Amino acid sequence: MSVLELRSISKVYGRGAAEVQALRDISMSVPAGMMVAVMGPSGSGKSSLLTIAGTLEEPTSGAVLINGQDVERMSNGAKARVRRRTIGYVFQDFNLLPGLTAAENVSLPLELDGMSARRAHLAGLKALEDLGLGDQARRFPDQLSGGERQRVAIARAVVGDRSLLLADEPSGALDSANGESVMRLIHTYCKRGTAAVVVTHDAQLASWADRVVFLRDGRVVDQTMPPAGPETLLEQPS
Ligand code: ADP
Ligand code: MG
């Protein structure tokens, strides 16, 4: 069973003369452990695809299944739970809360989900330590570099063992070394069993993915399985 399944998704924004068809008949299946990169020019529907996959917006037609469950048939409570527990989101501009430390930013979703502050804090610290950010746990976002902030945002998105990671140009505001380390990190989570869909405009970064989907005018125009991503080079014996 796929963690994420999109069945013939179409999305129309606006009406009449202002009507925009953002997505046209998109189908996609992302099993546990798979990292999919989505590429395409500006306006091709990448963000629309991600917000619909993340249940933040409804498709005009078609179905979204999360762990086999049709989102349209879920109660509002069940949908909210899926957003809190199953799906993690990472955005280009990090979206960290400036008044909270790194550790507090990461533990917040767990607390919102009902975990005690103490347990949430410990889980947040652990997630930061896993990313090599243990020493930065007490810092506020403006005391962190861009690369560190994005790693905190990724820790927040995966904390609590979520099964689907959705990232919209997570490396868009980073230099190439930090962009590379963000993709490597997402790749590592996928090897542990997370499913991920990552939008990027950088072909080099997309090569971290198991599959690359190309969008144009809301349609899938091509899909590839990169023969040798950077990880296979790293795995070669020296
Ligand atoms: P991308 O992320 O690839 O740049 P988007 O998914 O943001 O593309 O946008 C796809 C198309 O849908 C664009 O033409 C965009 O203007 C339009 N669009 C996206 N969101 C909205 C919205 N909320 N209202 C109206 N049009 C939108
Ligand atoms: Mg976009």
Side-chain angles (χ1 to χ4, degrees), residues 46-48 168-169 199:
K46 305 181 298 295
S47 294
S48 304
D168 197 349
E169 304 206 36
V199 171

Side-chain angles (χ1 to χ4, degrees), residues 34-38 183 187 196 198 204-212 224-226 229-231:
M34 178 177 275
M35 178 175 178
V36 176
V38 177
M183 295 304 264
H187 180 263
V198 185
Q204 174 81 29
L205 296 180
S207 70
W208 280 95
D210 302 299
R211 196 165 99 212
V212 186
T224 67
M225 309 270 186
E231 73 281 8

Side-chain angles (χ1 to χ4, degrees), residues 57 68 192:
E57 248 181 294
R192 292 185 200 164

Side-chain angles (χ1 to χ4, degrees), residues 232-238:
T232 55
L233 299 176
L234 293 177
E235 280 159 10
Q236 274 170 13
S238 50

Side-chain angles (χ1 to χ4, degrees), residues 9 26 34 60 70 73 91 94 105 110 116-117 121 157 166 226 229:
I9 295 290
I26 304 267
M34 178 177 275
T60 305
D70 188 337
R73 295 180 183 195
F91 303 96
F94 320 140
N105 264 287
L110 299 177
S116 75
H121 181 70
L166 300 174

Side-chain angles (χ1 to χ4, degrees), residues 4-211:
L4 170 67
E5 193 178 338
L6 304 178
R7 289 189 187 156
S8 295
I9 295 290
S10 293
K11 178 67 179 177
V12 179
Y13 292 107
R15 280 166 185 274
E19 188 175 292
V20 176
Q21 176 124 30
L23 296 173
R24 300 165 196 262
D25 194 25
I26 304 267
S27 294
M28 179 185 291
S29 179
V30 189
M34 178 177 275
M35 178 175 178
V36 176
V38 177
M39 299 189 74
S42 177
S44 59
K46 305 181 298 295
S47 294
S48 304
L49 181 72
L50 236 60
T51 50
I52 288 170
T55 79
L56 300 172
E57 248 181 294
E58 287 177 3
T60 305
S61 62
V64 178
L65 284 77
I66 307 284
N67 289 320
Q69 287 216 299
D70 188 337
V71 171
E72 202 184 358
R73 295 180 183 195
M74 287 181 196
S75 66
N76 285 336
K79 244 185 271 186
R81 259 193 311 280
V82 162
R83 289 186 202 118
R84 278 201 315 269
R85 293 186 187 162
T86 308
I87 306 177
Y89 306 88
V90 181
F91 303 96
Q92 177 170 349
D93 52 6
F94 320 140
N95 275 319
L96 298 177
L97 295 173
L100 300 183
T101 65
E104 288 165 346
N105 264 287
V106 176
S107 57
L108 183 65
L110 299 177
E111 280 192 62
L112 291 177
D113 196 32
M115 191 182 278
S116 75
R118 200 185 124 71
R119 281 187 57 210
H121 181 70
L122 290 176
L125 275 184
K126 167 106 179 37
L128 287 173
E129 277 162 13
D130 278 352
L131 301 190
L133 289 169
D135 292 342
Q136 273 87 347
R138 289 162 180 275
R139 296 210 181 147
F140 291 90
D142 67 0
Q143 300 171 311
L144 300 170
S145 71
E148 288 169 340
R149 265 181 275 179
Q150 193 57 303
R151 273 145 69 202
V152 172
I154 291 172
R156 181 185 55 183
V158 297
V159 76
D161 283 330
R162 273 168 278 187
S163 50
L164 178 60
L165 181 61
L166 300 174
D168 197 349
E169 304 206 36
S171 58
L174 302 176
D175 61 35
S176 61
N178 278 304
E180 201 74 40
S181 78
V182 158
M183 295 304 264
R184 179 183 297 120
L185 189 57
I186 294 172
H187 180 263
T188 305
Y189 282 114
C190 288
K191 292 314 114 188
R192 292 185 200 164
T194 305
V197 181
V198 185
V199 171
T200 179
H201 51 253
D202 184 324
Q204 174 81 29
L205 296 180
S207 70
W208 280 95
D210 302 299
R211 196 165 99 212

